[in-house]
C-alpha cells in the first residue's frame, strides 16, 4: 500500500527548501555588487528584483513551514530535486529581465543549463550583454558545479544529520572528510584556490593576446568558472574561438581536466599523495577512453580531409573531444561545422566521449569513469571465470583511493545508472527526431544535454519547438542529479495522487 | 572588322566566365552562408559586413578583429595599420563600428590552427559606432521599491509576532 505524504512531510520539505532558496538569494549579492562597480544600473535593478523575490519566497517557506524536525532520506532527496527546479526559475528572472532572452522559457533553459553546468544557450545578442548578467551566467555554473545544496551546507547550515541526505541527493556519493559540511567546505576551498590561479593565468594570457586588462581578467574569471565546473558558457558568442589563441586553448584544457577529476583525488594530491593519480581507476579509465575516442575522431576527420595538416587536425579534433569528454562544451569551431565539416565517424567519437563523462564527485555529468571502470572490470572477471578452471576462485579488485573488491552491489549500481543514462540519451534523441532532425544530430544534442556537456551541432537554437526545449531542460536536470532524486520526486508525486 | 569585334566579345565572355568566380564575391555574404558553405568559399575573396565586437587584439603587425553580422561573429585577421580606423567596438555600453571587409576566406586556416577566418585585404568603415544611452528603467525601479517595501513590512510584522 502506498502511503499518502503527510502535511508534516510537506512542512519539512518546505522548510529546508526555504533555507536553500535564501542561500541562493544571497549569491545574487555578487552580481549586484558587480553591477554597481561597472555602473550598469538597469542590470543591477534586474538582480535587485530577483533577490527580493527570492528572499520573499524563502522567508515565506521558512515561516509557513517552520519545523524543528530533521530530514529523512525521502524528504532530503525531494528537497534537492525541488531546489534545482526552484533555482532554475529564480535564476532565470534576472536573465529574462535583461531582454536578451526571447521568452521566460528560454531564460529557464539557460538557467538550468548554467546550474547543471551544461552550456547549451539560447541567449540573444550575447556580445552586447552586460558584465553583470554575464557574471551571473558564469556564477551559476560555479554554484551548480559545486552543488546548490553544497552551498547551503557550506555556508548556511550548521550541521544536522539531514545534511548527508541532501549531499547524496545531489549526486555526490563520496565523502572526502568524515563530516559532509567539512567536505562541502573543502570542495569550496579547492574551487577558490583554482579560481584565483586560473583567473590570473587566463587574465595574463588575455592581455598578452591584446585584450584590455579589465576585459581580460573578467573573461579570465568567467572562462575559469565555465571550464573548472565543466560548464561551457563564454562571455562572447564565438565561445573560445573569440580569443584566437593556442595558449588560451591549452590553459582551458588543463582547467577542464582539473574539473573532471574527483574532488577526493584533489584532496589526496593536495595532501601529498601524488601516486594516487597514476593508480586510481578513474584517471586510468579516463586516459584510456580519451585515447580511444580521440582515435575515432582523428580517423573520421582524416577520412573526410577536413583538416589537411596533422597539427590542425589534432588542435581542432582534440579540443572538441576533450571538451566533450570532460563535459565542458567549449568549442573552437562553429556549431554548424560539426555537420558541415565533420563526418559521421568523427561525430560518433565525440558523442561517445560526451556519454562517458569525467570522474564521480567532480563537476562533470554523464555515466562517469568509475562506473565505466567497474563495468570493464566485471567483463574481465567474467572472462577470467570462463578461461580458468571451474574450481578456481576469481576475485577482481580495483584501486580507488584504497583497494576495493568488485562486489555485485557495486556492479549493479554502475549498470543501473549506466542504463538510465543510455535510456535518457535515447529518449532525447527520439524527441529530436520527432521534430525532424536526423538521427545523429538528434543524438548528439540529446547526449550533450543529458550528459551536461554543452557542445552543439546547431539543433539548440531559439527557434526550436518549446517541447524540445522542455525535453532538454528535463534531461539536464535528471542528468545532473543522476536520477536518484528525480526518481524519488516521481515516487512522491505518485504517492500524493494514489496514496491512502 | 566584324570578325575582330566578334572575337573581342568571345574573349571578353570567356574571361568573365573563367575569371569572375575566383576573383571575388562582391556582394556581402552573411556569416551563416560562409559557415555552412565554407567549402565553396574556401580560399576565395569574399566581402563581409558587420559590427566590430569585443576587443581589437593586436598581434604584432597584424590584429584579430571579431565582426558580427547579428547571427554569428567571424574572426578577421587584419593588418594593424588598418585597425586605426576602428573607434568603437561593440559591448553592453557601446555599438561597434560597422565595417565592410574584403579578404580571403579560410574554412580551416592553415596559418591559424584551423580556425574559420577571413584574412582582410581592405577594410572600410560603413558607419561609426556610438555610446548607448543607458536610461534608468522606471518600471524596474518602481517594482524593486514595491518589493523592498513588502519585504520590510513582512520583516516588521514577523518581529511583532515574535514578541
Amino acid at each position: 500500500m502506498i502511503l499518502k505524504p503527510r502535511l508534516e512531510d510537506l512542512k519539512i520539505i518546505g522548510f529546508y527548501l526555504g533555507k536553500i532558496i535564501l542561500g541562493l538569494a544571497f549569491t545574487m549579492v555578487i552580481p549586484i555588487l558587480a553591477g554597481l562597480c561597472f555602473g550598469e544600473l538597469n542590470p543591477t535593478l534586474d538582480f535587485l528584483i530577483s533577490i527580493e523575490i527570492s528572499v520573499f519566497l524563502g522567508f515565506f517557506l521558512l515561516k509557513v513551514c517552520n519545523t524543528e524536525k530533521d530530514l529523512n532520506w525521502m524528504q532530503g532527496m525531494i528537497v534537492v530535486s525541488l531546489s534545482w527546479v526552484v533555482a532554475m526559475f529564480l535564476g532565470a528572472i534576472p536573465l529574462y529581465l535583461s531582454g536578451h532572452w526571447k521568452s521566460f522559457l528560454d531564460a529557464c533553459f539557460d538557467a538550468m543549463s548554467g546550474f547543471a553546468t551544461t552550456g547549451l544557450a539560447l541567449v540573444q545578442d550575447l556580445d552586447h550583454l552586460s558584465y553583470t548578467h554575464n557574471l551571473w551566467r558564469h556564477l551559476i555554473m560555479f554554484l551548480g558545479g559545486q552543488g546548490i545544496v553544497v552551498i547551503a551546507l557550506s555556508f548556511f547550515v550548521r550541521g544536522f544529520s539531514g545534511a548527508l541526505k541532501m549531499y547524496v541527493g545531489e549526486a555526490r556519493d563520496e565523502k572526502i572528510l568524515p563530516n559532509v559540511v567539512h567536505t562541502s567546505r573543502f570542495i569550496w576551498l579547492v574551487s577558490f584556490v583554482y579560481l584565483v590561479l586560473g583567473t590570473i593565468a587566463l587574465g595574463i594570457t588575455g592581455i598578452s593576446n591584446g585584450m584590455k586588462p579589465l576585459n581580460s581578467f573578467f573573461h579570465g574569471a568567467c572562462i575559469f568558472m565555465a571550464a573548472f565546473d565543466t560548464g561551457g558558457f563564454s562571455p562572447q558568442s564565438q565561445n573560445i574561438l573569440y580569443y584566437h589563441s593556442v595558449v588560451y586553448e591549452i590553459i582551458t584544457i588543463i582547467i577542464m581536466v582539473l574539473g573532471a577529476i574527483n574532488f577526493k583525488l584533489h584532496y589526496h594530491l593536495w595532501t601529498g599523495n601524488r601516486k594516487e593519480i597514476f593508480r586510481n581507476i578513474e584517471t586510468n579509465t579516463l586516459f584510456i577512453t580519451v585515447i580511444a575516442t580521440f582515435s575515432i575522431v582523428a580517423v573520421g576527420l582524416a577520412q573526410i580531409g577536413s583538416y589537411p595538416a596533422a597539427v590542425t587536425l589534432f588542435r581542432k579534433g582534440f579540443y572538441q573531444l576533450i571538451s566533450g569528454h570532460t563535459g565542458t562544451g567549449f568549442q573552437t569551431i562553429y556549431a554548424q561545422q560539426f555537420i558541415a565539416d565533420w563526418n559521421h565517424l568523427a561525430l560518433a567519437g565525440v558523442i561517445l566521449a560526451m556519454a562517458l563523462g569525467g570522474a564521480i564527485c567532480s563537476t562533470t555529468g554523464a555515466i562517469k569513469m568509475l562506473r565505466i571502470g567497474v563495468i570493464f572490470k566485471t567483463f574481465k572477471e567474467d572472462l577470467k571465470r570462463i578461461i580458468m578452471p571451474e574450481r578456481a576462485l576469481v576475485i577482481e579488485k580495483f584501486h580507488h583511493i584504497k583497494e576495493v573488491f568488485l562486489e555485485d552491489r557495486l556492479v549493479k549500481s554502475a549498470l543501473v545508472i549506466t542504463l538510465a543514462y543510455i535510456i535518457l540519451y535515447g529518449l532525447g534523441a527520439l524527441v529530436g527526431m520527432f521534430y525532424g532532425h536526423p538521427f545523429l544530430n538528434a543524438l548528439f544534442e540529446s547526449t550533450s544535454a543529458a550528459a551536461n556537456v554543452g557542445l552543439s551541432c546547431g539543433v539548440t537554437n531559439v527557434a526550436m519547438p518549446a517541447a524540445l526545449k522542455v525535453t532538454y531542460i528535463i534531461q539536464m536536470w535528471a542528468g545532473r542529479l543522476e536520477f536518484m532524486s528525480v526518481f524519488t520526486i516521481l515516487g512522491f508525486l505518485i504517492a500524493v495522487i494514489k496514496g491512502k | 572588322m566584324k570578325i575582330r569585334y566578334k572575337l573581342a566579345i568571345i574573349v571578353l565572355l570567356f574571361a568573365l566566365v573563367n575569371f569572375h568566380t575566383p576573383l571575388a564575391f562582391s556582394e556581402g555574404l552573411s556569416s551563416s552562408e560562409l559557415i555552412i558553405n565554407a567549402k565553396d568559399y574556401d580560399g576565395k575573396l569574399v566581402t563581409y559586413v558587420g559590427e566590430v565586437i569585443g576587443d581589437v587584439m593586436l598581434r604584432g603587425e597584424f590584429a584579430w578583429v571579431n565582426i558580427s553580422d547579428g547571427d554569428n561573429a567571424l574572426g578577421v585577421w587584419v593588418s594593424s595599420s588598418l585597425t586605426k580606423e576602428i573607434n568603437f567596438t561593440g559591448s553592453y555600453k557601446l555599438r561597434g563600428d560597422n565595417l565592410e571587409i574584403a579578404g580571403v576566406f579560410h574554412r580551416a586556416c592553415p596559418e591559424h590552427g584551423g580556425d574559420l577566418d577571413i584574412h582582410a585585404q581592405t577594410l572600410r568603415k560603413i558607419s561609426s559606432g556610438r555610446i548607448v544611452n543607458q536610461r534608468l528603467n522606471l518600471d524596474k525601479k518602481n517594482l524593486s521599491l514595491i518589493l523592498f517595501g513588502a519585504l520590510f513590512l513582512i520583516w516588521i510584522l514577523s518581529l511583532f509576532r515574535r514578541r
Side-chain angles (χ1 to χ4, degrees):
Chain A
M1 187 176 72
I2 302 169
L3 290 176
K4 205 176 190 98
R6 294 165 297 131
L7 186 67
E8 192 61 30
D9 291 321
L10 297 176
K11 276 184 84 174
I12 295 170
I13 291 166
F15 181 74
Y16 287 99
L17 193 60
K19 277 194 171 195
I20 290 170
I21 290 171
L22 282 183
L24 185 72
F26 183 74
T27 61
M28 289 187 191
V29 172
I30 299 167
I32 289 176
L33 292 175
L36 292 172
C37 290
F38 289 117
E40 296 174 340
L41 284 179
N42 288 326
T44 308
L45 281 177
D46 295 341
F47 283 93
L48 210 57
I49 293 166
S50 309
I51 201 171
E52 285 164 347
I53 294 170
S54 307
V55 169
F56 182 83
L57 185 64
F59 199 67
F60 176 80
L61 284 173
L62 283 185
K63 288 290 158 195
V64 171
C65 306
N66 191 20
T67 181
E68 298 273 303
K69 287 188 178 170
D70 210 345
L71 290 161
N72 62 29
W73 275 105
M74 181 202 66
Q75 292 156 351
M77 293 283 178
I78 291 168
V79 168
V80 171
S81 211
L82 288 177
S83 299
W84 283 73
V85 178
V86 174
M88 174 190 76
F89 285 118
L90 296 176
I93 296 171
L95 301 181
Y96 181 62
L97 289 173
S98 73
H100 281 260
W101 280 263
K102 280 202 168 166
S103 66
F104 191 66
L105 178 63
D106 287 7
C108 284
F109 184 96
D110 276 26
M112 181 54 90
S113 178
F115 278 119
T117 70
T118 306
L120 292 171
L122 295 176
V123 58
Q124 298 296 293
D125 194 17
L126 176 59
D127 299 314
H128 292 103
L129 189 68
S130 67
Y131 281 113
T132 315
H133 285 100
N134 244 329
L135 179 65
W136 179 242
R137 288 174 73 237
H138 293 85
L139 190 65
I140 58 177
M141 289 199 142
F142 198 53
L143 302 174
Q146 272 48 266
I148 295 168
V149 169
V150 168
I151 304 165
L153 290 177
S154 312
F155 304 113
F156 306 105
V157 177
R158 281 194 180 163
F160 61 104
S161 61
L164 176 68
K165 288 137 196 169
M166 294 207 290
Y167 178 82
V168 173
E170 210 165 38
R172 296 227 183 271
D173 23 21
E174 290 196 319
K175 276 196 290 177
I176 300 162
L177 296 160
N179 182 314
V180 282
V181 175
H182 293 160
T183 298
S184 302
R185 286 182 185 154
F186 175 77
I187 289 174
W188 277 104
L189 175 72
V190 171
S191 306
F192 277 123
V193 169
Y194 284 132
L195 171 67
V196 173
L197 295 175
T199 305
I200 292 171
L202 290 168
I204 291 168
T205 309
I207 292 170
S208 67
N209 281 342
M211 290 172 71
K212 290 174 198 133
L214 175 69
N215 239 7
S216 181
F217 279 99
F218 178 78
H219 279 231
C222 288
I223 293 292
F224 172 83
M225 287 191 269
F228 185 71
D229 288 281
T230 60
F233 280 163
S234 149
Q236 301 285 153
S237 61
Q238 286 158 287
N239 209 272
I240 299 301
L241 197 55
Y242 171 84
Y243 305 98
H244 306 284
S245 164
V246 68
V247 182
Y248 221 89
E249 287 170 26
I250 291 168
I251 294 173
T252 49
I253 287 175
I254 294 167
I255 301 170
M256 287 191 274
V257 173
L258 283 174
I261 290 176
N262 193 324
F263 277 108
K264 207 167 183 175
L265 192 60
H266 278 291
Y267 179 78
H268 281 267
L269 293 177
W270 280 38
T271 48
N273 182 13
R274 290 190 179 85
K275 280 182 187 167
E276 181 61 34
I277 200 160
F278 301 107
R279 297 173 65 200
N280 196 289
I281 186 172
E282 287 197 289
T283 42
N284 287 332
T285 312
L286 182 67
F287 183 71
I288 293 164
T289 54
V290 165
I291 290 176
T293 49
F294 177 65
S295 303
I296 297 170
V297 170
V299 170
L301 291 178
Q303 271 180 351
I304 199 171
S306 298
Y307 305 103
V311 178
T312 316
L313 185 147
F314 181 80
R315 188 169 160 187
K316 288 294 172 194
F318 188 74
Y319 195 88
Q320 319 318 309
L321 186 276
I322 200 75
S323 171
H325 206 318
T326 56
T328 310
F330 279 156
Q331 289 187 214
T332 56
I333 61 171
Y334 293 93
Q336 300 94 321
Q337 283 187 280
F338 270 124
I339 304 303
D341 292 355
W342 289 41
N343 67 358
H344 289 180
L345 186 63
L347 282 180
V350 177
I351 293 171
L352 189 60
M354 290 197 291
L356 297 176
I360 59 163
C361 198
S362 70
T363 62
T364 64
I367 297 168
K368 298 195 175 94
M369 288 299 105
L370 184 60
R371 294 185 187 114
I372 300 296
V374 164
I375 291 168
F376 269 104
K377 285 275 176 187
T378 310
F379 277 122
K380 196 175 150 191
E381 190 188 29
D382 280 359
L383 268 176
K384 271 187 189 171
R385 280 213 178 105
I386 295 165
I387 296 163
M388 292 179 74
E390 269 183 42
R391 284 184 184 177
L393 188 67
V394 180
I395 296 170
E396 195 67 47
K397 53 183 186 172
F398 59 89
H399 185 86
H400 178 57
I401 312 297
K402 59 184 183 202
E403 292 299 314
V404 182
F405 286 100
L406 193 69
E407 293 171 7
D408 287 350
R409 180 181 54 84
L410 275 174
V411 176
K412 187 188 159 196
S413 158
L415 284 170
V416 166
I417 298 287
T418 304
L419 186 66
Y421 269 111
I422 291 168
I423 291 170
L424 192 66
Y425 300 150
L427 286 176
L430 277 176
V431 179
M433 284 191 285
F434 176 78
Y435 284 104
H437 294 287
F439 170 68
L440 213 59
N441 301 22
L443 184 65
F444 188 100
E445 215 77 1
S446 164
T447 308
S448 181
N452 303 127
V453 178
L455 288 177
S456 174
C457 65
V459 174
T460 300
N461 64 70
V462 75
M464 71 177 172
L468 197 52
K469 289 175 189 172
V470 173
T471 304
Y472 289 158
I473 288 174
I474 294 168
Q475 282 190 296
M476 290 190 266
W477 175 59
R480 174 63 181 84
L481 295 181
E482 290 194 352
F483 309 104
M484 198 52 83
S485 309
V486 179
F487 289 155
T488 312
I489 202 165
L490 288 176
F492 185 78
L493 288 174
I494 292 167
V496 168
I497 298 162
K498 288 193 169 178
K500 288 175 185 171
Chain B
M1 197 63 183
K2 262 189 176 177
I3 293 167
R4 273 187 192 175
Y5 182 66
K6 276 180 185 171
L7 264 174
I9 289 171
I10 289 165
V11 168
L12 196 69
L13 278 172
F14 183 78
L16 275 172
V17 168
N18 284 284
F19 300 112
H20 177 75
T21 316
L23 271 180
F25 292 87
S26 56
E27 283 180 24
L29 292 160
S30 73
S31 58
S32 298
E33 271 179 284
L34 286 168
I35 293 166
I36 293 165
N37 307 308
K39 280 177 187 160
D40 298 336
Y41 296 113
D42 196 15
K44 289 176 181 159
L45 210 65
V46 297
T47 308
Y48 175 64
V49 178
E51 178 197 353
V52 185
I53 48 116
D55 299 82
V56 173
M57 292 180 265
L58 293 172
R59 309 269 170 98
E61 289 178 10
F62 287 87
W64 278 111
V65 180
N66 292 301
I67 297 181
S68 168
D69 67 350
D71 288 335
N72 303 284
L74 298 183
V76 177
W77 182 242
V78 59
S79 164
S80 49
S81 59
L82 290 173
T83 61
K84 283 169 190 161
E85 273 200 57
I86 301 169
N87 297 321
F88 292 93
T89 60
S91 64
Y92 175 66
K93 292 182 176 176
L94 298 172
R95 284 282 141 190
D97 293 335
N98 238 4
L99 303 180
E100 185 189 71
I101 299 288
V104 179
F105 174 78
H106 296 279
R107 182 187 61 81
C109 179
E111 195 184 330
H112 297 116
D115 285 0
L116 184 147
D117 65 16
I118 298 171
H119 287 206
Q121 291 175 351
T122 61
L123 179 155
R124 185 167 71 87
K125 193 192 283 188
I126 296 172
S127 61
S128 187
R130 63 187 165 83
I131 296 168
V132 179
N133 273 332
Q134 297 296 326
R135 284 187 195 151
L136 189 68
N137 186 320
L138 290 177
D139 290 341
K140 286 182 183 176
K141 192 190 91 178
N142 293 338
L143 181 61
S144 70
L145 283 175
I146 291 165
L147 284 169
F148 184 77
L151 269 178
F152 189 70
L153 198 69
I154 291 166
W155 182 62
I156 295 287
L157 282 174
S158 72
L159 280 181
F160 273 112
R161 266 190 73 183
R162 209 178 287 170
R163 278 182 189 175

